[in-house]
Amino acid sequence: MKTLAAVLRAVCTERPYGKSKPMQLEEVELGAPRAGELLVRIEAAGVCHSDVSVVDGSRVRPLPMALGHEAAGVVEEIGSAVRDVKVGDHVVLTFVPSCGTCAECSSGRPALCTPAAVANGAGQLLHGSSQITGKGGERIHHHLGISAFARHAVIARESAVVVPKDVPLQTAALFGCAVLTGAGAVLNTASVRPGQSVAIFGLGGVGLASVMGALVANAWPIIAVDPVAAKRDLAMQLGATAVFAPEEAEKGVKDMTGGGAEVTFEAAGVPAVLEAAFRAARRGGLTVAMGLPHPSRTVSLQALAFAGLGQALSGSYMGSSAPQRDIPRYLALWKAGRMPVDRLQSASLPLEKINEAFEYLAAGTAVRQVLLPHS
Ligand SMILES: [Zn+2]
Ligand SMILES: [Zn+2]
């Protein structure tokens, strides 16, 4: 079938993106779902910093690529061998299509699934080559098994989590990346306990989801750090107990916690922010890195802090989540009013505004913008 998708053909660092227009909406051909695949009508797709990172080249991906990895929609067609998803089901898409049987999946770490990582790195689907074809038969790569800035997507069944139909799809979309990553880092990677002190550096969609996760975990205090005042205000509304601008953060966190927070989180993708988060952790503390800087970037940390102060550093990909378990759990918390994820949505825009949306995010003025491909 034919559909409309936002395609990136070359890395672009020229801004504003509203002028340089790195992505073009193109009519593409989507293959019919093969065994184990679904055709999904995309109703809402969130713009995430990892999308911007593909555009500016800090996430190195094969091009051309149809971008977008945080979305929700309605199943329109199922391939053979799909037994547990029906036409008409509402689904949240997840950017690691965990196979369920590899060594990582079998050891309880589906976010690190090896076949999913290989397929995602190659811009393919879990069960085979790309299903997106451009003019003249040109192969267009999938972004993280999805390619959601489009009216429709063909995905592996493993990329979908069926969700209740009473959740608005604009809200549901945000659970696929921002919430899984941010709340998951708190609840899965760090297993924050009631009363533990936490500090969260970087208040985009992911960092603000960490604030919500920390509130659910009954952490105290919950300290949030960002250069943008409006994001600090939103963090306070979502459950942070104190906020700081970056230049005041290290002293502020240490004063408030008697020497440093027990767990600190980095959600900016900037090495200097990870270093700051590490310095704000206390003796015996844990620092969790969620951001995705360019592979050439390195960090500089006090070597003595590991053995001498018992500090630890951990990475967290997709919040160490098991999406089929965690998305329904977080949706239940949302429904109960305990995780107001809809507050992360700063705007909804038609798909045609994709380059402008990328500019707002890159400039730091937007939290989570949701693109509506059928508006
Ligand atoms: Zn994302
Ligand atoms: Zn696996």
Side-chain angles (χ1 to χ4, degrees), residues 85-250:
V85 179
K86 300 185 300 297
V87 170
D89 278 349
H90 287 195
V91 288
V92 169
L93 307 190
T94 164
F95 63 88
V96 178
S98 313
C99 75
T101 54
C102 72
E104 286 72 23
C105 285
S106 303
S107 57
R109 309 183 81 188
L112 300 180
C113 173
T114 300
V118 170
N120 283 356
Q124 300 188 342
L125 295 183
L126 184 63
H127 303 299
S129 55
S130 168
Q131 284 274 42
I132 312 169
T133 312
K135 283 198 181 70
E138 173 198 36
R139 178 62 47 87
I140 295 174
H141 298 89
H142 287 262
H143 187 203
L144 299 175
I146 299 181
S147 295
F149 298 140
R151 293 201 173 141
H152 296 84
V154 172
I155 60 169
R157 187 268 168 264
E158 289 83 351
S159 297
V161 177
V162 177
V163 299
K165 289 184 179 164
D166 58 353
V167 185
L169 289 166
Q170 289 193 35
T171 301
L174 306 185
F175 286 78
C177 178
V179 178
L180 267 194
T181 304
V186 175
L187 301 169
N188 298 324
T189 314
S191 296
V192 167
R193 312 278 303 163
Q196 277 195 312
S197 52
V198 305
I200 295 149
F201 287 70
L203 300 174
V206 169
L208 289 166
S210 295
V211 170
M212 286 189 255
L215 188 65
V216 163
N218 283 319
W220 186 274
I222 301 168
I223 305 167
V225 180
D226 197 277
V228 180
K231 293 181 178 175
R232 297 196 297 268
D233 290 346
L234 183 53
M236 287 299 286
Q237 294 166 32
L238 294 174
T241 57
V243 289
F244 293 105
E247 56 276 15
E248 309 158 343
E250 186 178 348

Side-chain angles (χ1 to χ4, degrees), residues 307-335:
L309 302 177
Q311 278 186 236
L313 176 63
S314 175
S316 176
Y317 189 61
M318 199 174 68
S320 311
S321 296
Q324 305 289 346
R325 173 196 68 190
D326 292 341
I327 288 178
R329 233 180 229 181
Y330 299 150
L331 279 168
L333 286 166
W334 170 79
K335 210 174 258 186

